[in-house]
Amino acid sequence: MLDKKYTWYKIAETIGELQFGENNILQVEVAGKNICIAKTLNGLSACAAKCPHAGGNMEAGFLDKNGNIVCPVHRYAFNFKNGRDVTGEGYYLKIYPVEVNEGGVFLGIAQSGFFNWLK
Ligand code: FES
């Protein structure tokens, strides 16, 4: 079931419909945000398309053997579970939840606003 803390956007009917690059990463625009979807050993993961270090384009990066996404500019690697850079520089990449169910492939964007904060 989709977590109600997020607004869920359908990005494809099936995983097979997603056109991944050779690096298993693709970029989509969801709710005005540029987001990278990556096909990792653990399934689909999603993160901001822009590196928090100096704005590198994560779509042009790659996945390392541990399933981290590596920025192509200075090669900082980010963990998809918590967004933390595993190379220890202290940067965080925004991570988004992805859900695949019988209805399609969905990307979650955290709801914001005062009333959501109260829930
Ligand atoms: S811009 Fe991504 S690591 Fe520097």
Side-chain angles (χ1 to χ4, degrees):
M1 199 162 94
L2 298 176
D3 188 329
K4 290 199 170 69
K5 284 195 306 252
Y6 300 94
T7 301
W8 293 91
Y9 295 86
K10 189 172 186 172
I11 56 171
E13 292 294 334
T14 62
I15 295 176
E17 212 176 76
L18 295 166
Q19 308 266 317
F20 287 98
E22 275 180 21
N23 59 358
N24 286 322
I25 302 170
L26 64 82
Q27 188 174 319
V28 294
E29 190 183 324
V30 177
K33 299 174 191 298
N34 290 320
I35 294 172
C36 281
I37 313 286
K39 194 165 54 173
T40 71
L41 294 175
N42 301 321
L44 297 182
S45 297
C47 64
K50 198 168 161 186
C51 178
H53 176 230
N57 174 13
M58 300 306 286
E59 186 188 19
F62 60 93
L63 303 173
D64 71 12
K65 64 176 173 19
N66 298 319
N68 301 307
I69 186 165
V70 183
C71 176
V73 182
H74 306 104
R75 309 230 161 176
Y76 291 4
F78 298 89
N79 181 314
F80 272 118
K81 286 205 181 83
N82 54 22
R84 202 170 170 171
D85 83 83
V86 299
T87 32
E89 289 82 5
Y91 289 93
Y92 284 88
L93 179 67
K94 178 131 181 85
I95 300 298
Y96 296 91
V98 183
E99 281 276 334
V100 181
N101 62 32
E102 65 287 345
V105 182
F106 296 86
L107 186 109
I109 306 275
Q111 295 178 11
S112 56
F114 183 70
F115 291 105
N116 288 316
W117 177 77
L118 285 176
K119 279 183 197 168

